[in-house]
Amino acid sequence: MYKYTPIAVVIPQTAMEPGSAMNHLMDLLKKHMKNLNFQQAPRRLFNDKNGVSILLRVCHKKYNPAIYAVKEKYYALSAVAALFSHLEYSMDVFYSPKTLKFIYSAGIQSTLLDFRCTSRLELITSNCNRKTLHSILSQNCVSSGGKRLIRATILEPSLNATVINDRLNIVQELIENVDYLMNLSVGLFVPSPHSYFQILLAKFPNVDSILSFCVKLSNIDAPRSTSEDPNFTEISSNSISTRKRPAAYMMTRIQMLKSAEQRLTQMISIKHCLELIPDLVKALNMASRCKPLLSFVEVLNKCDYASLLLKIEDIFNSDLKPTKSIISMTLQKTYALREGIDCLLDTTRNIFQEQIELICSKSTQYS
């Protein structure tokens, strides 16, 4: 729990009942993780058989042997069933069949540090406003995924000698080439201490969010899981009281618009990410003295990102890119699709542009 710092935890409703065996666990969670939100779910959703069927449905077929290998792990599979039921019924999040990766880790060859140990060692937080190990290692990390990886590695150090030696070799490689790497640039002068790699990586959007979007289904036509029940009890974090969902679930207009807007935003991020890959490959190719970075080049060269970008630009305008300004981003979404894709959309945008021009002219006239 302390390793991944979740914002919400799905728990069975029986855990909140007086005299439950989970009362002590709930007290510890409330004490050490005060901002944690508990999502109550019916006890019957914690079903290991449903967990196996859900994993077989959403995970790639090459992971089927690994799924069957853990079919006796009752608690893990029950948690999977409850989690996916919560995602589908309460958050309207669906994943495409045969797209997810399956990994079962039982904490073998790793050390789990509890809350008391990490607090005394001041690995993540400090009681005296001093720098911690996590703050020092992640201060130059420009991606949120990298910061999470550093945090997870600190809180669960490996005991595997091979993994430890590989990490030491990478650190040694980076130390020996630190001056070379920091001065690398592609036709640009980049002052220290930030290298061109850091500046380039900072331009990338949240890759984890993009990957998650690529395997999610649209909420409009997303199928329900095999555990669907017309008497499904809605998960509620505020009370134990429940209500039944209708068998034929229909999205409201607001939900449809929100879903479409989110997908459009993610497509703009994907396009921007694909445009940055050639510069990243070019910069990595210059790091011929650093073997770990060259291994990334081999991975990036395996996929034809250029053709994928061309397919996206057949539908979207080529000058699209994510911005921090809400007004600018809204305007880009309005004109994201090329003309000629949809006649009704073109007509609506022309009317919108005429209205904007009329407002601007009136504003100038009366100013």
Side-chain angles (χ1 to χ4, degrees):
M1 295 290 291
Y2 189 63
K3 173 184 174 182
Y4 295 105
T5 60
I7 59 175
V9 176
V10 179
I11 61 173
Q13 291 178 347
T14 54
M16 305 298 292
E17 296 178 355
S20 173
M22 297 182 65
N23 287 159
H24 181 61
L25 175 61
M26 300 299 297
D27 293 337
L28 290 176
L29 291 176
K30 292 178 181 179
K31 178 181 178 181
H32 296 296
M33 307 187 75
K34 298 180 180 180
N35 296 326
L36 195 61
N37 184 21
F38 296 101
Q39 305 287 336
Q40 298 181 31
R43 179 63 182 83
R44 58 185 174 81
L45 294 182
F46 290 81
N47 188 297
D48 58 324
K49 293 182 180 179
N50 288 342
V52 174
S53 62
I54 289 174
L55 289 176
L56 292 175
R57 173 170 59 88
V58 300
C59 294
H60 194 274
K61 60 182 180 180
K62 76 174 184 179
Y63 298 106
N64 287 354
I67 295 174
Y68 284 115
V70 298
K71 64 180 181 179
E72 302 298 332
K73 304 296 182 180
Y74 170 79
Y75 293 107
L77 295 173
S78 299
V80 167
L83 177 61
F84 274 87
S85 298
H86 172 69
L87 290 174
E88 293 181 0
Y89 288 95
S90 296
M91 302 181 66
D92 294 319
V93 175
F94 304 88
Y95 289 94
S96 302
K98 310 299 181 183
T99 57
L100 299 186
K101 181 180 180 180
F102 173 79
I103 296 177
Y104 176 80
S105 176
I108 301 175
Q109 293 187 333
S110 61
T111 301
L112 291 176
L113 304 179
D114 58 10
F115 179 80
R116 183 178 299 177
C117 179
T118 54
S119 298
R120 291 181 176 179
L121 295 177
E122 297 185 347
L123 298 178
I124 305 299
T125 58
S126 174
N127 298 325
C128 303
N129 296 325
R130 293 178 296 190
K131 287 187 176 182
T132 62
L133 179 61
H134 178 260
S135 63
I136 294 174
L137 294 178
S138 62
Q139 62 182 352
N140 292 326
C141 188
V142 297
S143 64
S144 57
K147 293 179 181 179
R148 287 195 296 269
L149 180 60
I150 292 176
R151 180 189 178 94
T153 305
I154 293 175
L155 294 177
E156 191 175 351
S158 176
L159 299 178
N160 191 330
T162 303
V163 174
I164 295 174
N165 289 328
D166 290 341
R167 291 175 179 175
L168 292 175
N169 292 335
I170 292 175
V171 171
Q172 184 66 29
E173 193 86 30
L174 295 175
I175 291 175
E176 292 176 354
N177 298 282
V178 61
D179 295 334
Y180 178 72
L181 294 175
M182 296 302 289
N183 294 327
L184 270 181
S185 63
V186 183
L188 297 174
F189 172 73
V190 182
S192 295
H194 299 291
S195 68
Y196 176 74
F197 290 113
Q198 289 176 302
I199 296 176
L200 185 59
L201 290 176
K203 296 180 180 179
F204 276 83
N206 190 343
V207 179
D208 292 339
S209 177
I210 292 177
L211 293 176
S212 178
F213 162 77
C214 290
V215 297
K216 283 183 181 179
L217 288 174
S218 172
N219 294 0
I220 301 174
D221 300 319
R224 293 294 179 181
S225 64
T226 55
S227 61
E228 180 178 8
D229 188 346
N231 294 324
F232 174 80
T233 307
E234 185 183 23
I235 299 174
S236 174
S237 59
N238 299 325
S239 64
I240 305 180
S241 61
T242 58
R243 66 179 179 85
K244 296 181 180 179
R245 280 187 181 272
Y249 177 71
M250 298 295 294
M251 290 186 62
T252 63
R253 182 177 180 83
I254 297 177
Q255 289 175 315
M256 293 173 63
L257 292 175
K258 183 178 179 181
S259 176
E261 186 175 359
Q262 289 176 348
R263 296 175 74 84
L264 183 58
T265 302
Q266 294 291 356
M267 285 302 302
I268 295 176
S269 299
I270 291 175
K271 177 181 175 296
H272 180 62
C273 185
L274 293 175
E275 291 174 342
L276 293 175
I277 288 179
D279 291 337
L280 180 61
V281 173
K282 186 176 181 180
L284 291 174
N285 280 324
M286 297 178 64
S288 57
R289 292 168 51 184
C290 190
K291 295 180 180 179
L293 296 182
L294 290 179
S295 62
F296 299 150
V297 177
E298 297 177 1
V299 175
L300 293 174
N301 286 331
K302 289 181 179 179
C303 299
D304 190 4
Y305 295 105
S307 61
L308 181 59
L309 179 60
L310 290 176
K311 292 181 180 179
I312 294 178
E313 290 183 344
D314 288 340
I315 301 176
F316 292 89
N317 288 315
S318 58
D319 57 347
L320 283 177
K321 63 179 180 179
T323 59
K324 295 182 179 180
S325 172
I326 298 178
I327 298 177
S328 176
M329 196 65 187
T330 303
L331 189 62
Q332 289 202 70
K333 293 177 186 177
T334 304
Y335 296 95
L337 296 180
R338 290 182 177 273
E339 293 185 2
I341 301 296
D342 188 281
C343 296
L344 181 60
L345 177 62
D346 294 341
T347 304
T348 305
R349 287 192 296 198
N350 290 334
I351 296 174
F352 172 76
Q353 186 173 356
E354 292 175 359
Q355 293 292 332
I356 294 297
E357 292 176 354
L358 179 61
I359 293 173
C360 292
S361 62
K362 291 294 184 181
S363 176
T364 305
Q365 180 181 352
Y366 293 107
S367 61

